Amino acid sequence: MTNEKLLVSVALNAWNTNIARAEKTFSGLTQEQLQKEVAPGKNRLIYVWGHLAAVHDGMLPLLDFGPRLHPELDASFLTNPDKTTPNLPTAEEVRKAWNNVNRKLSQGFANLQPEQWLHKHTAVSDEDFAKEPWRNRFAILLSRTTHVAYHLGQAALVPK
Amino acid sequence: MTNEKLLVSVALNAWNTNIARAEKTFSGLTQEQLQKEVAPGKNRLIYVWGHLAAVHDGMLPLLDFGPRLHPELDASFLTNPDKTTPNLPTAEEVRKAWNNVNRKLSQGFANLQPEQWLHKHTAVSDEDFAKEPWRNRFAILLSRTTHVAYHLGQAALVPK
């Protein structure tokens, strides 16, 4: 295995580890359990989970893996705070979106050659990328991995 | 810049970003503010900060950068839960340890060539590493970066 490939595989392990932790945290909970807040007055677990699904869905166009699968998540889980929008998607709908999105991301990751991780992500212009070559797909993978961890730290505060 | 070097620099950016966020979260707080819990009955901010300093101190021998600088942190912040040990280090002592440790880590990072990130960390045997080459320094960097993010998510719940 080349050094490049090994560096990428370590980062994919970190992603997969955190996705597996999120699965373990959220996917076995009932609709009722998902109504618990991570701390008094803070986001509910359903919001955190839907937020992660929405952010991961946004990775698809950003990594040039295709269009978003679930843009309908944004209004409930991304652009508005928790408890401000009516008719939140159900646990089952969030679960389905979460699974769809992460499956599609895994397929995209598997198709990338190591050097393709260093291509620019789609939200940076050619001109800016020439000056800032670290604004690449690999940076998106790492920042979204820490983003999952950030919210897992919060979800861990909810009594079992 | 080689591809290897660019992959490593993206990961170092992610580390530095999260360390800077931790600085912003903790280092301006008073001894009194650091007594706040991240959620009712959960760890206090002083414990979270000391815990991060202790874990980062443990990275020094793990990455073969030299002996630990502050092993005295462990009893208060790592091996025992919060609120179970008397005479916790003060905010000033934690701040000093945090700065020492992260400075020493930065020096170590700066001295590594890209391929040295793929050397085994010191807690894995030669035999195991031959079978599991992803148990390397780079994996430690990524897992400790997500670890900081995990606790930053918790600290962010404390009202300003």
Side-chain angles (χ1 to χ4, degrees):
Chain A
M1 198 186 288
T2 64
N3 287 352
E4 271 173 296
K5 199 172 166 77
L6 195 47
L7 290 166
V8 167
S9 78
V10 169
L12 285 172
N13 282 351
W15 168 266
N16 289 328
T17 298
N18 280 277
I19 294 297
R21 285 179 188 153
E23 298 272 347
K24 201 175 162 186
T25 300
F26 298 110
S27 69
L29 300 182
T30 63
Q31 178 76 19
E32 194 185 352
Q33 289 169 318
L34 286 164
Q35 304 311 308
K36 289 186 191 164
E37 296 171 328
V38 300
K42 303 291 178 178
N43 292 333
R44 290 171 296 171
L45 291 172
I46 185 78
Y47 186 88
V48 174
W49 194 17
H51 172 75
L52 291 174
V55 168
H56 294 187
D57 195 43
M59 291 169 71
L60 295 171
L62 204 51
L63 296 172
D64 211 12
F65 289 170
R68 296 191 55 176
L69 300 178
H70 293 283
E72 78 283 1
L73 297 171
D74 288 12
S76 301
F77 299 121
L78 194 67
T79 50
N80 295 299
D82 193 15
K83 300 163 221 164
T84 61
T85 50
N87 305 320
L88 221 59
T90 63
E92 197 41 46
E93 288 166 328
V94 172
R95 180 175 294 108
K96 199 174 285 184
W98 166 264
N99 288 334
N100 283 343
V101 165
N102 288 311
R103 192 181 314 116
K104 176 101 175 169
L105 283 172
S106 290
Q107 290 164 354
F109 296 161
N111 288 331
L112 288 185
Q113 294 302 309
E115 70 274 13
Q116 292 178 299
W117 283 99
L118 294 167
H119 292 186
K120 77 180 191 68
H121 61 68
T122 62
V124 62
S125 68
D126 289 334
E127 192 184 6
D128 286 345
F129 187 62
K131 289 175 288 188
E132 301 170 327
W134 53 86
R135 297 174 69 180
N136 51 42
R137 284 187 175 120
F138 195 62
I140 298 294
L141 177 69
L142 298 192
S143 74
R144 297 311 183 271
T145 302
T146 54
H147 179 255
V148 179
Y150 182 96
H151 289 294
L152 285 175
Q154 299 178 333
L157 298 172
V158 178
K160 295 289 175 298
Chain B
M1 198 186 286
T2 64
N3 286 352
E4 271 174 297
K5 199 172 166 77
L6 195 47
L7 289 165
V8 167
S9 78
V10 168
L12 286 173
N13 282 352
W15 168 266
N16 290 328
T17 298
N18 280 279
I19 293 298
R21 285 178 188 155
E23 297 272 348
K24 201 175 162 187
T25 300
F26 297 110
S27 69
L29 300 181
T30 63
Q31 178 76 19
E32 195 184 351
Q33 290 169 318
L34 285 163
Q35 305 310 309
K36 289 186 190 164
E37 297 171 327
V38 300
K42 303 291 178 179
N43 293 332
R44 291 170 296 170
L45 291 173
I46 185 79
Y47 186 89
V48 175
W49 194 18
H51 172 74
L52 291 175
V55 168
H56 294 186
D57 195 44
M59 291 169 72
L60 295 171
L62 204 51
L63 297 172
D64 211 12
F65 290 171
R68 296 192 54 176
L69 300 177
H70 294 283
E72 78 282 1
L73 297 172
D74 288 14
S76 302
F77 299 121
L78 194 67
T79 50
N80 295 300
D82 192 15
K83 300 164 222 165
T84 61
T85 50
N87 306 320
L88 220 59
T90 62
E92 197 41 46
E93 288 166 329
V94 173
R95 182 175 292 109
K96 200 173 284 183
W98 166 264
N99 287 335
N100 283 343
V101 165
N102 288 311
R103 193 181 315 115
K104 176 99 175 169
L105 283 171
S106 290
Q107 290 164 356
F109 296 160
N111 288 331
L112 287 185
Q113 294 302 309
E115 70 275 11
Q116 292 178 300
W117 282 99
L118 293 168
H119 293 186
K120 77 179 192 67
H121 62 67
T122 63
V124 62
S125 69
D126 289 334
E127 192 182 5
D128 286 346
F129 187 64
K131 289 176 288 188
E132 300 170 328
W134 53 87
R135 297 175 68 180
N136 51 41
R137 285 186 175 122
F138 196 61
I140 299 294
L141 178 70
L142 298 193
S143 74
R144 297 311 183 270
T145 302
T146 53
H147 179 254
V148 179
Y150 182 95
H151 289 293
L152 285 176
Q154 298 178 333
L157 299 172
V158 177
K160 295 289 177 294

